[in-house]
Amino acid sequence: VSTQSTGVHIVGQTIKCALLVHNASDLTDRLAWATGQISGHVTVDERYVQIAREQQEEVVTNSSSALTKHVANDCFFSSDPEILFCDIQLPPQCSKELKFSGIVPTHSPPSYRGSYIKYSYIVLVGLQRVNKPVTLINLPIRIINLPGISLVDGPKKPLTHPFAPREECINYEDYFMDKVQSVVL
């Protein structure tokens, strides 16, 4: 599993992921299903920070996905799960690439690792082979949330015809890095 950029994303940005499934055996492999989603987690050091039980329950996501249940005690955000495939057969020595995307809401906190509290985000992919247990893959990603930088205020794409040269295409990563540097410097 890999994200199709640097692994650092801005809230509101579409996070694109690719999953490569390869059958290294000499037999056809039957895959039951695969699904992917993005989730955010908060970890609190309970030695220093006390959270009332009723507040803790509000933090838990409402997602009914089986993928987030194993981490639901600290999950504050969970995208809807996206089904990547159902019931496919993968011939010997063959691969299949699957893609999915998700968006972290603009009101989400940035990734943060402090002494008493930690906010983290993961791309979570679940895959099950027929008659085998579910395999879960966690890919950590970083989310930044900078005041004054918004995807809504992004560069305006010029009106062009469908055969426009590539130079006219807007590179959003360059645009946002220029914005970040203007805020930081």
Side-chain angles (χ1 to χ4, degrees):
V1 178
S2 66
T3 58
Q4 295 179 335
S5 70
T6 62
V8 178
H9 305 277
I10 297 173
V11 293
Q13 180 183 11
T14 300
I15 300 170
K16 297 177 183 176
C17 302
L19 170 69
L20 183 67
V21 180
H22 179 73
N23 182 5
S25 74
D26 293 331
L27 302 172
T28 299
D29 198 4
R30 285 198 56 213
L31 305 173
W33 56 266
T35 184
Q37 70 184 122
I38 300 167
S39 60
H41 305 274
V42 61
T43 305
V44 176
D45 188 339
E46 293 179 3
R47 295 176 296 176
Y48 303 105
V49 179
Q50 296 294 322
I51 298 178
R53 183 54 64 190
E54 58 274 1
Q55 287 177 327
Q56 208 170 20
E57 290 173 3
E58 289 176 16
V59 173
V60 174
T61 182
N62 292 334
S63 174
S64 61
S65 169
L67 295 182
T68 56
K69 287 186 179 178
H70 79 284
V71 289
N73 60 339
D74 66 348
C75 186
F76 65 86
F77 159 73
S78 178
S79 68
D80 293 332
E82 186 174 326
I83 296 172
L84 305 177
F85 66 79
C86 286
D87 195 25
I88 65 168
Q89 293 188 9
L90 201 57
Q93 306 302 322
C94 286
S95 299
K96 182 163 182 71
E97 184 179 34
L98 308 161
K99 296 181 179 184
F100 76 97
S101 61
I103 298 175
V104 175
T106 56
H107 64 276
S108 299
S111 299
Y112 174 75
R113 183 182 295 223
S115 299
Y116 305 127
I117 192 166
K118 173 181 150 186
Y119 288 97
S120 59
Y121 294 85
I122 59 172
V123 173
L124 186 59
V125 175
L127 179 120
Q128 184 171 20
R129 289 181 165 84
V130 174
N131 298 323
K132 303 280 183 179
V134 175
T135 302
L136 294 176
I137 302 166
N138 294 328
L139 177 67
I141 56 175
R142 284 196 167 282
I143 301 295
I144 57 176
N145 185 352
L146 298 172
I149 297 178
S150 167
L151 290 173
V152 177
D153 301 330
K156 305 297 183 239
K157 190 170 186 176
L159 295 175
T160 60
H161 57 82
F163 303 106
R166 301 243 346 128
E167 294 83 53
E168 292 183 30
C169 296
I170 293 175
N171 185 336
Y172 283 91
E173 288 181 6
D174 290 344
Y175 171 78
F176 287 115
M177 285 311 295
D178 289 344
K179 287 287 227 172
V180 168
Q181 288 175 352
S182 70
V183 170
V184 173
L185 301 176

